[in-house]
Amino acid sequence: MEYKKINNLLGWLCFIIASVTYILTLEPSVSFWDCGEFISCAFRLQVAHQPGYPMFAMLGKVFSLLSMGNNARVPFYTNMMSGLASGATIMFLFWTITMLAKKMLNKGGEAIDQGRMYLIMGAGLVGALAFTFSDTFWFSAVETIVFAISALCTAIVFWAMLKWDAHADEPGADRWIIFIAYVIGLSIGIHLLNLLTIPALAMVYYFRRGKSVNAGGAIGTFLIGVLILVFVQYFIRGYTIAIAANFDLFFVNTLGLGFWSGAFFFFFIIAAILVGGIWYGNKYQKPLMTLAFLCVAFVYFGYSSFAYIPIRASAGTNLDNSHPDNAFTLYGYLNRIQYGENPLLYGQYFDAKVTDQTEGNTLYRKGETKYEVSGKKQNYVYDHTTFLPRMYSGDGQDPQFYHEWLQIPEGQAPTFADNMKWMFSWQIYQMYGRYFLWNFAGRYSDADGQQSTSNPDGNWTTGIFDSGKHLPKSIVGGGPKIPGQGIQLGNTYTPLYALPLILGLFGCVYHFQRKKRDALIVLLLFFFTGIAIVFYVNQPSIQPRERDYSYVGSFYAFAIWIGLGVIALAEFIQIKANAKTAALLATGVCLLAVPVLMASKEWKDHDRSTKMTPHDMAYNYLISCPPNAILFTYGDNDTYSLWYDQEVEGIRSDVRIVNLSLFTGDWYIRQMQKPMNNSAPLPITMPFDKYKEGVRDVIYFDDKKVAGYTDVKEVFDFITSDNKNVMEQYQNGQLGNYLPTKNFKITINPDDVLNNHVISPAQKDKLAKEMIWKYTSNYVTKENLAMMDILAHNNWKRPICFTTTIGNENLIGLQPYLYKEGFTYHLMPLQPDTTTKDQLGKTNSLVMYDNIMNKFKFGNFKTATYLDHESTTMFYPVMVTTFLDLTQGLIKDGHPDLALKALHKFDEVMPNINPGLDVADRKIFLAQTAFALHDVILGDKFVKSVDDYLTDLLDYNYYLLQDKNGDMSLRDVQYGVSFINGLAGVTADNHRMDLNKKLQQQLKDYETKFAAVLQRQQ
């Protein structure tokens, strides 16, 4: 069979293997993080968060139609889109490897013999299948996320450039370059990562078309490639809209024409320039000029998918992030201005103080008929700056983390050496190198490991020396499989013995020895999709989640070298065997040592086919709300999945979800004043002019010593008044509102409360005459202002709820009046319970019992073969706390029988795992509750579960103490010993003497083992 046919067939075989793998392991419903938003926006063609993903949304809409009206199946098919795109990526990777291998082995252009053909195909299979089963790529392949299709774009453009290279001397070969430009344009509507292939593509062009290839020419071409990247990223993608916005400003404000008139005129100018350039190049036979103008034109053609954003924004979709319906807002949306700017080449250190402030560009917002000035961009001058600032963030806990990571003493200013040390140790190693080694050496677990280079959690490992490290079962697993208990901790321990890494490094060295130019091209792809991203993004500190998905293009490049490593091994084997035998032997050995090994190790922690936790946790949030409730959320994982449940499946569409992190935007407040699905507008009375951008962005507290508590409506009216007599003058001479008191109250009308069923008739005696509380911040931002408006004017007509995972700072001091009813706190005007230490542990127990026992879904928590990091470390603790608070609330309200039923429900639906000390602590209270309710068997079960976890943890720390490597966790030891002491107390109090005797022996043993370190802390 001829080479071309075999090459095509094996490429499609790789597609089938990869696609089947991903489809078998697809998450059947929505996933955590951005997936809920992406599915919702694809299904209803809505506007996702910045910088927008229009091409992705339109493709997702096509796949969603495969559900044939069964909306619950929509995420399966949009997930399948990622799976098939990832399978296609593997196919193009195979063809990329075989093209590079063919160039390396077929130097003279002669016919390829059987031995070399086997070797080329073997290299393609090993490299492509290794990437198929790699950790990061597989993770994105089974959920609705942009990175799967973005990787496909990267694979296509790199393959297409090699295709052009193979046919560059043939007439019409440059059509491949134009095709690449179009795919790059399309990819901007998916993700920007594909632009990073441009420098490598420029080098392919130079090495093929350069008249005299030399080091100077290569460096010049590299710089030209970087300039092309900058041109596409900043001019085509960014400044095109910026200039269009300024044209629009002139046409609208000066000429009196409609919005977008100036922008369309500018787009016409661009089209005329491109057409003119193409015509001129053809007429005067300037092929390079023609090619350049054609490429720019086709990038614009692909980029034109962004017309979707203002079109759908103008349609008023439910999800309409930033409402980019005009050129200025669209520019800010595309450039993620909402998220701020990270300094790149020059900027401040984290301890810098502002020494001066200047006004920059004028900022505009869309008015009724014209653009209005919303303010000026503020530029700051700092007293402590540096070239290449890496440690620049003074936000939140970032400065503390810098000090801890680099062991900089408090009060000592960071130096440039510290700056570089941070860049190499955290940004490059911890947030890139660690991810790289996850994929090709192995990893301990999927825990978040950003904060330590030595802790096994979230770290890389080859697994070769792990047997001597006495690692805890929570990492490596172990113990008998419990029937009906699908998940065990340790399920994500994935040692790869560094075999993929070794083979890839072997292939890299061999590639540079045999084909330096091609190896340099792969190296550029590897660098720009890896380390270059680290430099550009300049992550300030701890991230909300691990960011390995950002670097999948770099891992793709390394997979090419894994494939070429087969050829290197075959050449070594040829010392003792003929070429054909060496090719078959090298291929067989490498297939077993890398892809087969990776598949066997990685499958268990990528098989999401039985996991439903994101869908069901979102369902539980919504089902916990009373009818027509207002539900305040904050984070991604207590918002995006809820959006999916409402927007796609129509679950509890009467509940109005209000994301407080978006409530800071005037566009979002305005959106909340409109109906949505089956939800009425929020009772926000402010007209748009009182909260639009640039107006009341922040209102500062100025204590006027107002006596007593002031009605929240009176406070709201005062801080939203346009009367200059009640404003203060700032240093810049401008007038502004201020907050005169933090002591708020709401006077309760019992009829309103009872008629709207806020409380039950049985709770009438507990009704407060007024709610009083202290506002907890020194300023009022837009979301606080809108929340005050709701509190002042709702009059108990709609229930007000908060998710239980929301931060305390978002509750603005209302904790005494918040009662759990499941996964939400319900604002209820009951007399404060001063006997309860934990104000957020209070429950409306009978309502909560009905919600949890009769309405909740539990996401296959107990039977799923795999649970991701968010399921085990975020929502499992939430579940434990929810059941614990329910049982305590029921006992307090005189329903011990129902409390026991709730405990048994927990045991029935939740796995017996302990993801951390906080969960172990709560389970001690569950055990205590079970004993108090006279269920000895269940109490013993909880005690033994926690004890097994604690002894495993303490034994590991004792090994570390003996090893004297300084990695022992004093916190784990202190709490572990304390908790065993607590278990001993619980068993003694409840006369479980056999268990108590065992625990007392353990306590004595560990106190002896850790005596030295425990005494030092006393």
Side-chain angles (χ1 to χ4, degrees), residues 64-96:
S64 74
L65 298 175
L66 297 174
S67 64
M68 300 297 181
N70 182 356
N71 290 3
R73 295 289 287 171
V74 165
F76 177 81
Y77 288 105
T78 57
N79 291 346
M80 185 185 290
M81 172 180 68
S82 291
L84 295 175
S86 299
T89 302
I90 298 302
M91 178 175 66
F92 282 106
L93 174 58
F94 173 85
W95 288 332
T96 295

Side-chain angles (χ1 to χ4, degrees), residues 182 185-186 294-306:
Y182 182 56
L186 287 174
L294 279 169
C295 285
V296 172
F298 273 85
V299 170
Y300 270 118
F301 281 148
Y303 182 44
S304 66
S305 67
F306 270 89

Side-chain angles (χ1 to χ4, degrees), residues 350-371:
F350 66 86
D351 66 337
K353 303 293 188 296
V354 176
T355 59
D356 195 11
Q357 181 175 333
T358 59
E359 289 186 345
N361 297 331
T362 302
L363 304 176
Y364 293 95
R365 60 172 174 253
K366 183 183 178 184
E368 291 297 324
T369 59
K370 292 185 176 183
Y371 288 109

